[in-house]
């Protein structure tokens, strides 16, 4: 009886693991095949290591540029969001503000709106309204960086709020009595204590920005295209090169594989904007 | 002393960014919805159209069909994910070797970019290359062609969504289950309640807050699904998987009919909010049954 109690979960979990990994494994297998190997009996086994698809993708000037754009956009967004969220949660946690709860709630609602609904107004705003002479926000990295704040900032604030509230107020109050300025309190008392939480917030923010597709596809045309839009462009082109598509997908996936271990525990708080805590 | 002014100063950049890029589009879409406008035409005129755009929507078969499809899709994915997620969460409540590893692997799909999810499933299901059509044909004699059969395409998007999001449900319900006190279950067992009674009268009411939160989050996300489906089927075959997000995108941008698109966006936003509110009232306002 006791043995069965352990065996059954393990069996189910092994099955689940296979199902979970299958699509990703298949991406990997396809990315490791030559064009000739691809068509035939679709074996799930790895035939060998053929790096040609990765070489093709990485040698392609366009995709290298897309990758670079994605890195710049995700990193800048991550930096801005983390800093603003730190400041905002410091204010929300340490100051008595009028209508604080409503404000907090409004911040969060920004994450809930369906993205597709905001495509059109943002497209028009970016091409028609936010323009200064010849400069327009459409097809710029800065346009994407600022836009991604709309769904990343609320999430970061929600996550950081819990972390900030967890830092005892007595600590920074004591520092203030000792004559520390507000800036010193933030950088010398709060920041070191908030570091681990800040790191998780930053990683998840970075991932969300890296993964985003819909806005990137609509609000860019040439200059600011990101890697996810490059991935989608692949399919519409006649005669899809599946091997390269898989290789590019694997490159998109790489950060997720790297960060998975770090953020695994916090991902629920992240994706449910903190409504369910683990 | 901490003055609120300093606090507001810290908040100012956040409010500015979210105000301009989050709140402003909302008002802007409401404004544009009352006009006929194509700013990219030779002579872009902003022509007041009143409620014409909205009137057109009501008789737009494709729009209504997209909403219907989205609701069907949402119903099936949320239901399946809740059931599978709950069962898996219960499994996770037990102790077994390598639990941490399994948990990490189970979390993986959540971090994968939706567009890459779509690419992975497309590679799995594309005829002549993917193993899914090949083995379905060989083992079951099923003719699987994503681009030809509407039901298969619909089902594949549902399964893809289940693959992508069930882990979230598992983890949230696991969080809820772990936080539960043990006493009510023990006393119920002593009183001779059977498994079903314990589940229905003790487990469910206690899990309700977490369950509702999970349902809402999945509901909102499922209603706005775009990326994966765009990559997998592009909304086809025909319009079998043209969910509302895809529909807005497909109609508005090629046709440059911005006033109509704005009306469509606003109505979709309204319907989303209404649906969530309606379900919230229906589920939360219902009094728990006395046992």
């Amino acid at each position: 009886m006791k043995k069965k109690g352990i065996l059954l979960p393990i069996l189910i979990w092994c099955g689940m693991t296979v199902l979970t990994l299958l699509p990703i494994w298949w991406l990997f297998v396809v990315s490791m095949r030559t064009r000739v190997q691809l068509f035939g009996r679709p074996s799930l086994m790895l035939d060998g290591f053929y790096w040609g698809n990765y070489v093709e993708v990485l040698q392609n000037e366009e995709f290298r540029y897309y990758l670079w754009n994605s890195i710049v956009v995700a990193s800048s967004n991550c930096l801005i969001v983390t800093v603003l969220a730190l400041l905002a949660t410091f204010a929300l946690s340490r100051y008595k503000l009028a209508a604080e709860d409503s404000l907090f709630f409004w911040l969060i609602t920004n994450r809930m709106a369906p993205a597709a609904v905001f495509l059109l107004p943002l497209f028009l705003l970016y091409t028609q309204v936010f323009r200064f002479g010849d400069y327009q926000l459409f097809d710029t990295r800065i346009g994407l960086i600022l836009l991604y704040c709309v769904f990343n900032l609320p999430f970061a604030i929600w996550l950081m709020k819990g972390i900030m509230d967890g830092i005892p107020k007595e600590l920074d109050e004591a520092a203030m009595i000792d004559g520390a300025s507000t800036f010193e309190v933030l950088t010398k008392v709060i920041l070191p204590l908030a570091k681990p939480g800040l790191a998780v917030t930053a990683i998840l923010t970075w991932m969300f920005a890296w993964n985003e597709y819909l806005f990137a596809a609509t609000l860019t045309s040439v200059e600011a295209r990101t890697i996810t839009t490059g991935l989608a462009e692949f399919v519409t082109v006649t005669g899809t090169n599946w091997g390269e598509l898989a290789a590019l997908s694997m490159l998109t996936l790489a950060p997720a594989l790297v960060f998975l271990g770090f953020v695994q525990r916090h991902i629920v708080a992240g994706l449910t904007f903190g409504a369910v805590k683990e | 002393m901490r003055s609120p002014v300093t606090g507001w100063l810290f908040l100012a950049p956040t409010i500015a960014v979210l105000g301009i890029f989050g709140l402003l589009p909302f008002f802007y879409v409401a404004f544009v919805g009352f006009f006929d406008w194509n700013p990219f035409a030779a002579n872009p005129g902003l022509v007041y159209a009143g409620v014409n755009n909205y009137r057109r929507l009501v008789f737009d078969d494709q729009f209504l069909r997209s909403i219907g499809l989205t609701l069907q899709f949402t119903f099936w994915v949320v239901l399946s994910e809740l059931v599978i997620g709950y069962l898996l969460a219960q499994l996770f409540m037990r102790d077994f070797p390598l639990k941490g590893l399994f948990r990490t692997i189970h979390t993986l799909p959540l971090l994968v970019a939706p567009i890459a999810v779509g690419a992975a499933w497309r590679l799995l299901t594309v005829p002549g290359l993917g193993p899914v059509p090949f083995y379905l044909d060989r083992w079951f004699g099923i003719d699987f062609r994503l681009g030809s059969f509407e039901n298969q395409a619909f089902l594949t998007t549902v399964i893809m969504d289940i693959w992508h999001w069930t882990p979230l449900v598992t983890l949230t319900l696991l969080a809820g289950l772990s936080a539960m006190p043990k006493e009510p279950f023990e006393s119920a067992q002593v009183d001779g309640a059977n498994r079903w009674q314990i589940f229905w009268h003790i487990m469910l009411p206690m899990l309700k807050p977490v369950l509702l939160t999970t349902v809402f989050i999945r509901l909102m996300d499922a209603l706005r699904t775009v990326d994966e489906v765009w990559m997998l089927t592009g909304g086809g075959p025909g319009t079998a998987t043209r969910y509302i997000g895809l529909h807005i995108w497909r109609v508005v941008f090629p046709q440059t009919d911005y006033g109509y698109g704005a009306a469509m966006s606003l109505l979709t936003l309204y319907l989303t909010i209404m649906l969530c509110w309606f379900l919230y009232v229906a589920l939360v306002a219902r009094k728990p049954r006395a046992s």
Side-chain angles (χ1 to χ4, degrees):
Chain A
M1 188 65 201
K2 205 168 188 188
K3 196 140 202 182
K4 190 188 159 207
I6 288 184
L7 205 63
L8 187 69
I10 289 188
L11 276 178
I12 295 177
W13 280 115
C14 287
M16 285 306 299
T17 303
V18 169
L19 285 178
T20 306
L21 293 180
L22 180 71
I24 293 161
W25 171 252
W26 183 241
L27 271 184
F28 180 65
V29 169
V30 170
S31 77
M32 285 288 160
R33 283 185 180 161
T34 62
R35 267 174 206 248
V36 182
Q37 282 175 317
L38 268 180
F39 296 94
R41 193 171 180 277
S43 154
L44 285 166
M45 288 295 136
L46 202 60
D47 298 328
F49 293 93
Y50 166 73
W51 295 99
N53 292 314
Y54 290 90
V55 174
E56 284 292 323
V57 167
L58 288 172
Q59 272 181 348
N60 186 324
E61 198 108 355
E62 212 174 319
F63 288 128
R64 271 219 304 256
Y65 184 65
Y66 290 173
L67 262 175
W68 175 240
N69 271 341
S70 272
I71 292 169
V72 171
V73 169
S75 306
S76 316
N77 175 257
C78 165
L79 188 70
I80 293 174
V81 164
T82 315
V83 171
L84 290 192
L86 184 70
L87 296 179
T89 43
F90 182 66
L92 286 169
S93 170
R94 295 302 200 260
Y95 290 84
K96 273 206 171 67
L97 303 170
E100 200 175 315
D101 292 338
S102 327
L103 180 77
F104 190 54
F105 185 71
W106 170 66
L107 293 177
I108 306 307
T109 54
N110 277 290
R111 196 187 167 76
M112 302 196 233
V117 167
F118 286 94
L119 278 181
L120 174 78
L122 278 163
F123 175 74
L124 291 174
L125 282 170
Y126 271 35
T127 53
Q128 304 297 312
V129 180
F130 296 154
R131 55 190 310 166
F132 316 96
D134 280 340
Y135 184 81
Q136 55 179 13
L137 270 184
F138 181 74
D139 201 19
T140 58
R141 288 172 187 162
I142 190 78
L144 285 186
I145 292 166
L146 289 172
L147 171 62
Y148 289 174
C149 290
V150 174
F151 55 84
N152 272 339
L153 243 178
F155 147 70
I157 287 173
W158 196 299
L159 216 59
M160 286 298 300
K161 181 77 162 44
I163 294 158
M164 194 67 85
D165 287 345
I167 298 171
K169 277 185 183 168
E170 289 76 21
L171 282 177
D172 45 291
E173 273 159 9
M176 282 188 111
I177 290 165
D178 289 344
S181 68
T182 309
F183 182 73
E184 279 172 331
V185 168
L186 197 56
T187 52
K188 293 198 177 136
V189 182
I190 302 276
L191 202 58
L193 289 169
K195 241 182 209 161
L198 211 59
V200 172
T201 312
I203 292 173
L204 280 172
T205 304
W206 194 92
M207 283 302 313
F208 292 149
W210 174 267
N211 285 353
E212 206 282 327
Y213 167 70
L214 199 57
F215 287 120
T218 317
L219 300 178
T220 66
S221 62
V222 186
E223 290 296 318
R225 299 243 103 175
T226 59
I227 191 69
T228 46
T229 58
L231 205 56
E233 275 174 17
F234 237 121
V235 172
T236 50
V237 174
T238 43
T240 309
N241 186 338
W242 300 103
E244 285 178 31
L245 173 70
L248 195 61
S249 303
M250 284 306 288
L251 289 174
T252 316
L253 235 148
L257 294 171
V258 173
F259 290 137
L260 180 67
F262 286 112
V263 296
Q264 188 247 122
R265 285 181 179 284
H266 305 272
I267 199 149
V268 170
L271 290 164
T272 57
F273 31 94
V276 177
K277 289 207 179 77
E278 267 193 280
Chain B
M1 270 287 102
R2 277 170 168 158
S3 101
V5 179
T6 328
W8 284 110
L9 242 108
F10 280 127
L11 274 170
T14 298
I15 294 175
V17 170
L18 290 180
I20 294 170
F21 295 95
L23 204 57
L24 188 64
F26 175 75
F27 291 112
Y28 194 63
V29 76
F31 167 77
V32 175
F34 289 107
F35 292 87
D36 277 333
W37 191 30
N38 178 9
F40 303 99
N43 42 350
L46 196 65
V47 181
Y48 181 69
V51 292
N52 274 348
N53 286 324
Y54 292 93
R55 196 177 296 152
R56 229 176 104 189
L57 268 181
V58 180
F59 299 105
D60 184 343
D61 286 344
Q62 189 50 56
F63 177 75
L64 298 176
R65 182 168 148 78
S66 283
I67 288 182
L69 280 172
T70 311
L71 291 177
Q72 280 177 43
F73 171 79
T74 304
F75 176 79
W76 289 117
V77 300
V78 174
L79 187 70
S80 324
E81 283 160 20
L82 273 181
V83 173
I84 301 171
Y86 175 78
L87 293 176
L88 292 181
Q90 279 291 5
L91 261 177
F92 260 133
M93 289 300 285
R94 303 195 196 179
D95 265 322
F96 53 89
L98 297 178
K99 192 165 133 173
L101 181 70
F102 281 128
R103 222 179 93 133
T104 307
I105 292 171
H106 191 55
T107 314
L108 179 64
L110 294 176
L111 272 184
V112 179
I115 202 80
V117 172
W121 281 83
R122 199 184 165 99
L123 280 168
L124 272 176
T125 52
V126 71
L129 185 143
V132 171
F134 182 84
Y135 288 110
L136 277 181
D137 183 44
R138 165 163 292 201
W139 292 343
F140 307 103
I142 296 172
D143 184 13
F144 185 91
R145 270 177 291 150
L146 205 56
S148 311
F149 300 119
E150 299 201 340
N151 290 339
Q152 289 178 356
F154 183 81
L155 193 65
T156 312
T157 59
V158 169
I159 293 173
M160 174 173 67
D161 199 85
I162 293 172
W163 179 81
H164 196 179
W165 291 109
T166 299
L168 182 72
V169 179
T170 310
L171 294 178
T172 54
L173 293 187
L174 183 63
L177 287 174
S178 315
M180 258 180 211
K182 285 199 179 73
E183 291 81 22
F185 295 95
E186 282 159 5
S187 50
Q189 235 161 9
V190 171
D191 290 347
N194 64 31
R195 279 183 130 187
W196 175 249
Q197 283 171 323
I198 290 178
F199 172 78
W200 192 252
H201 293 296
I202 298 171
M203 177 77 88
L204 223 50
M206 276 188 355
L207 202 60
K208 201 167 146 186
V210 175
L211 210 59
L212 281 179
T213 316
T214 312
V215 169
F216 279 119
I217 285 155
R218 280 307 305 133
L219 198 71
M220 283 187 299
D221 281 348
L223 286 172
R224 65 180 171 195
T225 302
V226 176
D227 307 11
E228 301 111 289
V229 179
W230 178 259
M231 188 71 184
L232 182 70
T233 66
T239 55
T241 55
R242 195 188 268 205
Y243 305 126
I244 191 68
L246 275 88
H247 181 67
I248 293 178
W249 199 21
R250 274 217 122 135
V251 164
V252 175
F253 288 101
Q255 295 178 4
T256 62
D257 195 349
Y258 295 115
Y260 187 52
M264 201 150 59
S265 301
L266 202 67
L267 190 65
T268 307
L269 184 64
Y270 178 74
L271 288 176
T272 311
I273 294 169
M274 283 304 288
L275 184 71
C276 289
W277 181 79
F278 190 74
L279 280 168
Y280 180 79
V281 169
L283 290 170
V284 179
R286 221 178 74 188
K287 294 246 157 59
R289 278 192 224 169
S291 45

